[in-house]
């Protein structure tokens, strides 16, 4: 109801939430724009709620404007709390990190993308936390093609 109205998401639409953390994640942002606002968006049977972060917002807004009238796509620079965005979504595509706990608490299935350049020490935390989520049945785990981390699906 109210939360979906806030983001202009139709009540009966499915919603994919895309975000990369407070600073954004350039690869996730650009890939999401290519995939969900790139040409067959009129055929896409779901809404995309995309939070870019400050760094990528202007570029993302420009690309979305160049694509023309993209139906069922809400682009935001920043969302102060993820609770409403998570409540409005059915599935999450995000950078693996501290937000995984908010996603799990909201009970949303997620595709979590590990940060490919994290040090072994930094990347171990999401892998360990993700492993616990896998055991709990909240997500599946797969080793990335590069073998640098674990992706969740």
């Amino acid at each position: 109801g109210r939360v979906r109205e806030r983001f202009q998401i139709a009540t009966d639409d499915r919603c994919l939430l895309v975000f990369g953390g407070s600073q954004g994640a350039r690869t996730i942002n650009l890939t999401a724009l290519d995939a969900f606002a790139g040409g067959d968006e009129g055929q896409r049977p779901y809404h995309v709620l995309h939070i870019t972060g400050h760094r990528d917002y202007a570029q993302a807004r420009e690309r979305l404007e160049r694509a023309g009238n993209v139906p069922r796509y809400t682009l935001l620079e920043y969302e102060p709390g993820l609770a409403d965005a998570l409540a409005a979504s059915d599935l999450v595509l995000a950078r693996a990190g501290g937000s995984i706990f908010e996603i799990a608490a909201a009970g949303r299935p997620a595709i979590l993308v590990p940060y490919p350049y994290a040090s072994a020490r930094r990347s171990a935390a999401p892998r360990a936390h993700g492993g616990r989520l896998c055991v709990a049945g909240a997500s599946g785990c797969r080793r990335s093609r590069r073998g640098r981390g674990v992706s969740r699906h």
Side-chain angles (χ1 to χ4, degrees), residues 19-114:
F19 70 94
S22 62
Q23 297 301 310
R26 183 160 286 136
T27 302
I28 291 172
N29 286 331
L30 298 179
T31 301
L33 287 163
D34 288 344
F36 307 124
D40 293 330
E41 65 278 345
Q43 304 300 317
R44 181 174 27 81
Y46 53 90
H47 194 101
V48 175
L49 175 57
H50 185 171
I51 306 168
T52 63
H54 177 71
R55 181 191 61 207
D56 296 338
Y57 180 74
Q59 181 182 13
R61 170 61 54 206
E62 180 182 309
R63 285 182 68 173
L64 201 57
E65 287 172 1
R66 272 194 317 239
N69 182 22
V70 179
R72 295 187 301 268
Y73 203 106
T74 302
L75 185 69
L76 302 173
E77 179 176 356
Y78 180 72
E79 180 62 23
L82 282 178
D84 282 356
L86 287 165
S89 70
D90 297 290
L91 176 66
V92 178
L93 170 63
R95 171 72 66 216
S99 59
I100 63 174
F101 298 107
E102 291 176 85
I103 295 167
R108 294 297 181 258
I111 301 164
L112 301 174
V113 181

Side-chain angles (χ1 to χ4, degrees), residues 7 13 38 57 106:
F7 297 115
D13 274 355
Y57 180 74

Side-chain angles (χ1 to χ4, degrees), residues 127-153:
R127 196 168 36 245
H129 297 312
R132 288 190 200 108
L133 289 174
C134 290
V135 170
S139 67
C141 294
R142 295 241 169 118
R143 172 111 0 232
S144 72
R145 284 192 297 228
R146 290 182 179 172
R148 288 186 167 192
V150 176
S151 60
R152 285 109 175 109
H153 64 280

